[in-house]
Amino acid sequence: MTVSVDLSGKTALVMGVANARSLGWAIAEQLLAAGCRVGFSYQGERLKSELDKLLVGREGVWTQQADATSEEDMTALFTRVREEFGHLDILVHSIAFAPRAAMEGRFVDTTADDWNTALNVSAYTLVSAARHAEPLLREGASIVSLTYHASQQVVPKYNVMAVAKAALEAATRYLAADLGPAGVRVNTISAGAMRTVAARSIPGFGNLYDEAGRRAVLGRHATPEEVGKLALFLLSDLGSGVTGQTMYVDAGASITTMPLQ
Ligand code: NAD
């Protein structure tokens, strides 16, 4: 049996592509390959040229600057979505940030400012994006974000970002409950450690990455492409019965307590 995903006639907004290594880009590549029309938002003008390079020669794409923590930017972004598409079938949230100081020291020393920044950027922006998108979402629409297993178990130095991911996972369930009656699904993908710009800002990420590789029962790391494929499942009709879930794509790294050999 051959199953192919056809998203022609569907529309998507992908928030948080910084470069070709971004997990948001791995998801966007799957959406584009399936024939979806995709709009992209980027945080600041510094990131525009990288995104433009990725999109050279692609049809049906557009970009807009939007800091996800700015109400003004979010209003302008979703006004653009309405103008470009009229409606929205797919929303991808691939955004996270915590001040470096909050990830260098002890968790107990987290300042209120750093806590507020991390949770605002990494968790609240999903709620804000869902609220702005809601009037444009049709029955069958689907929202996906990215989380990490540090929400469930202590990962050294992940600190306040782990709390933000726990909030994101809980927010996913509450958003799924609010939007479910309209036929809109909300899920989050828990990705294994992958070498991206955001990951490089985590102190000791190299050790974390190596340990994940040793623990993974598939004997290798999961790949961004595999994140993209799980997202395609969740964002298409294949995932039509799945909502409110945290789904792992980490080659089994999170199910072990130590390397198997
Ligand atoms: P990335 O650096 O490529 O993407 C992070 C994006 O967040 C960037 O595009 C950045 O501009 C954007 N961003 C940060 N603050 C923003 C703001 N205020 N407004 C708008 N955009 C903002 O790194 P990535 O690893 O692809 O991260 C994407 C998601 O995947 C994040 O939620 C991250 O926590 C998650 N994740 C990553 C890994 C990993 O190992 N790389 C593992 C699990 C989950």
Side-chain angles (χ1 to χ4, degrees), residues 21 36 48 64-65 134 186 207 212 233 235 247 255:
R21 286 173 175 265
C36 193
K48 181 172 170 34
Q64 172 141 337
Q65 186 272 327
E134 190 177 9
V186 189
N207 292 341
F233 166 83
L235 293 169
M247 294 188 80
I255 65 168

Side-chain angles (χ1 to χ4, degrees), residues 124-209:
Y124 180 69
T125 56
L126 174 68
V127 183
S128 169
R131 187 175 58 253
H132 280 90
E134 190 177 9
L136 300 169
L137 296 173
R138 300 193 294 194
E139 184 169 359
S142 179
I143 300 175
V144 155
S145 67
L146 275 305
T147 187
Y148 180 57
H149 186 63
S151 62
Q152 307 300 314
Q153 286 188 297
V154 173
V155 174
K157 303 296 183 201
Y158 217 78
N159 294 2
V160 71
M161 184 60 94
V163 178
K165 291 306 191 191
L168 185 82
E169 291 167 22
T172 297
R173 293 186 282 273
Y174 279 86
L175 290 172
D178 275 356
L179 304 184
V184 175
R185 297 179 295 107
V186 189
N187 293 285
T188 186
I189 293 176
S190 190
M194 295 180 192
R195 296 186 186 282
T196 63
V197 174
R200 276 206 302 273
S201 67
I202 299 166
F205 177 77
N207 292 341
L208 189 159
Y209 182 82

Side-chain angles (χ1 to χ4, degrees), residues 16-18 22-23 43 47 66-69 94-97 121 146-148 165 191-194 196-199 205:
V17 175
S22 296
L23 302 188
Q43 182 184 2
L47 296 167
D67 182 323
T69 65
S94 189
I95 290 173
F97 174 75
V121 177
L146 275 305
T147 187
Y148 180 57
K165 291 306 191 191
M194 295 180 192
T196 63
V197 174
F205 177 77

